[in-house]
Amino acid sequence: MVFAALLASTSVLASGPCTLTDVVRPPASADQPVGADNWLNPGNIRFSLGQASRFMPGIRSTPAARQPLRANAPKRIDPDRLQVVDPADGTQRSLRFLLENRVDADGIIILRRGKVALDYQRSGFDSAQPRLLLEATRPILVTQLARAAAEGRIAREKSITRALPELSGVRELGKLSLQRLLEGRTGLQWPETDMVRWRQEAGWAPGGQTGVRTWLQHRAAWPRTSDNTGLDMYGPEGELLLWATEKAWKRSAPELLCDLQGLIRARNPAFWATDMVGTPLADGLALSLFDFAALGQALLDAGNRPGPRTLAPRWFLDTVASPSNEGDNKPGAVLALGQETGWQYRFAHPGLRGRRVAIIGAYGTSLYVDFDFSTVVAVFASHAERHSPLLMASLRSLWESASRPGGDSGPQ
């Protein structure tokens, strides 16, 4: 809270290689068809996810140095020639058909060995514009906590209340380790009344009164399932994850964002949405598509060439990139990728073999990294459903086609 208040009280703050700028939400206009009450409706997200600062306050982080554009791969992917499996009926169709009719992609960047094999953009899409990642932010936070644990800044086996003493009076959290929070397996239950209140206090919907962390501190009950198998991809639990990350590093989320931009060699400004009192939100990170792909490349580089200034420790990447067998105890979106898909540390692992990992966001937004074939697939999409089975199957088909050696490529 101290860091958030500091950032909210100043307009510009230099933070090493970045400039952090306070962004104030403009006044609402009665004649605007998209407003605070409907900006996250499926029919509006194609516009609004890239315009978060119109609807929420936050902090903009601008890199001091602008990174050069990536070179093109020797063989480019032609979306009209590359044939993929359409999971709707099992037929072969063009990649363009899959992107436009199954994924509802706004933009996609495929990197092979760090070079651009495909840069697909629908009409009107700006790949340099920061776009909200929503729940795709959470695996990124987990990598930050994994780094903190590797450096001895925080102990994963300790209770959540050791990391967050503000919640020391919550008996249920005192019995939960930080490890379970990292895995998204706390068993915490969030009834619909809590979900509504969380969206309001975070600012995703009108009606907030105190801000999200004050609400969490004064929440009367913290029910849990008896077997600790509750799975979290979306909901208030993410706020605990972000809060613990800030505590571990003793830095605010926007300052951590600046560090992240340096690690991934970000090219474009980023944005972190906050609640009404300036507290950064667990689902509030916005990156450009270019930098979302750069995040994937940084994960790939860290897995193949570990070092002191990498995005995640080697043990962590070895864990999430390896097949896991955890039965059906997975979020529905992960199960929709296939029964054999693993889920560890909020990352998905499609398939029973190979070193690969995927971050699953909302409405088709996703990031896939194949360590064996040095391939990154970054997708921004605006599907009508958050995680429909057809959408998830289409993403799986896309990933498998992108990682296929050679492929049906267009002229160089």
Side-chain angles (χ1 to χ4, degrees):
M1 293 286 283
V2 174
F3 287 121
L6 174 63
L7 289 173
S9 66
T10 184
S11 58
V12 178
L13 177 65
S15 179
C18 305
T19 299
L20 302 179
T21 308
D22 186 35
V23 179
V24 180
R25 179 179 56 189
S29 174
D31 60 354
Q32 289 179 335
V34 181
D37 60 338
N38 66 357
W39 69 290
L40 289 176
N41 289 354
N44 296 329
I45 58 172
R46 174 159 281 176
F47 162 75
S48 58
L49 289 181
Q51 303 288 335
S53 59
R54 290 174 178 256
F55 308 103
M56 301 185 76
I59 305 296
R60 180 183 295 112
S61 179
T62 305
R66 187 171 177 82
Q67 296 292 331
L69 288 170
R70 291 184 179 274
N72 288 330
K75 291 185 177 181
R76 301 294 300 278
I77 295 173
D78 184 338
D80 294 308
R81 289 182 56 188
L82 179 61
Q83 295 294 295
V84 300
V85 176
D86 180 359
D89 56 12
T91 61
Q92 291 283 326
R93 298 185 185 272
S94 71
L95 174 60
R96 185 182 299 277
F97 178 91
L98 190 79
L99 296 178
E100 294 181 351
N101 296 280
R102 300 291 182 256
V103 179
D104 292 310
D106 299 314
I108 172 173
I109 290 178
I110 297 178
L111 303 179
R112 287 179 173 169
R113 301 190 182 281
K115 297 183 178 181
V116 180
L118 177 67
D119 184 358
Y120 164 93
Q121 300 180 33
R122 66 160 179 81
S123 177
F125 176 77
D126 182 358
S127 61
Q129 178 73 31
R131 180 181 170 116
L132 277 175
L133 302 183
L134 299 179
E135 58 258 40
T137 307
R138 301 184 185 201
I140 301 172
L141 293 174
V142 172
T143 64
Q144 297 285 329
L145 268 176
R147 286 180 58 222
E151 295 182 16
R153 298 174 182 270
I154 200 165
R156 291 180 287 146
E157 69 276 7
K158 300 296 184 181
S159 71
I160 293 174
T161 53
R162 288 286 295 273
L164 301 175
E166 293 89 342
L167 299 174
S168 58
V170 181
R171 179 174 55 87
E172 294 86 351
L173 294 184
K175 299 178 181 180
L176 280 172
S177 67
L178 188 63
Q179 177 72 18
R180 285 199 174 276
L181 182 62
L182 287 167
E183 294 173 349
R185 301 178 186 275
T186 63
L188 291 170
Q189 300 297 289
W190 305 96
E192 184 55 30
T193 53
D194 279 341
M195 296 294 286
V196 170
R197 185 69 185 276
W198 163 64
R199 285 189 287 263
Q200 291 174 334
E201 296 300 343
W204 302 113
Q209 301 172 17
T210 64
V212 70
R213 290 187 186 172
T214 298
W215 169 65
L216 286 171
Q217 286 180 261
H218 293 92
R219 186 167 177 261
W222 292 73
R224 294 174 55 210
T225 57
S226 58
D227 56 2
N228 295 330
T229 57
L231 303 176
D232 163 59
M233 285 188 71
Y234 168 77
E237 186 174 316
E239 310 303 339
L240 301 178
L241 181 64
L242 174 55
W243 202 351
T245 304
E246 290 184 317
K247 287 284 189 176
W249 286 97
K250 296 182 173 60
R251 306 192 75 191
S252 71
E255 290 175 310
L256 292 173
L257 171 57
C258 179
D259 292 341
L260 176 70
Q261 289 174 295
L263 289 172
I264 69 174
R265 300 174 63 191
R267 175 178 172 82
N268 305 120
F271 175 78
W272 206 306
T274 69
D275 66 11
M276 67 181 76
V277 297
T279 303
L281 301 171
D283 300 333
L285 176 59
L287 294 176
S288 70
L289 181 60
F290 181 94
D291 291 336
F292 197 38
L295 174 72
Q297 185 63 43
L299 287 170
L300 181 63
D301 293 342
N304 291 333
R305 298 188 299 274
R309 284 290 293 170
T310 54
L311 185 58
R314 182 64 179 265
W315 68 264
F316 177 81
L317 290 174
D318 285 344
T319 300
V320 298
S322 300
S324 63
N325 183 13
E326 297 174 354
D328 293 335
N329 186 26
K330 308 162 193 169
V334 174
L335 282 173
L337 288 170
Q339 288 285 336
E340 80 286 6
T341 300
W343 194 63
Q344 301 182 85
Y345 289 104
R346 303 172 191 257
F347 286 80
H349 183 283
L352 293 175
R353 63 186 64 185
R355 297 175 63 242
R356 61 190 70 139
V357 70
I359 291 176
I360 308 300
Y363 310 113
T365 290
S366 55
L367 183 66
Y368 174 77
V369 179
D370 191 315
F371 294 89
D372 294 332
F373 293 103
S374 299
T375 299
V376 173
V377 183
V379 180
F380 280 174
S382 303
H383 193 73
E385 293 186 50
R386 203 174 192 100
H387 302 118
S388 81
L390 180 56
L391 169 62
M392 305 312 292
S394 299
L395 287 175
R396 180 78 181 265
S397 179
L398 165 63
W399 299 337
E400 292 173 351
S401 299
S403 294
R404 193 167 58 221
D408 212 351
S409 302
Q412 300 181 27

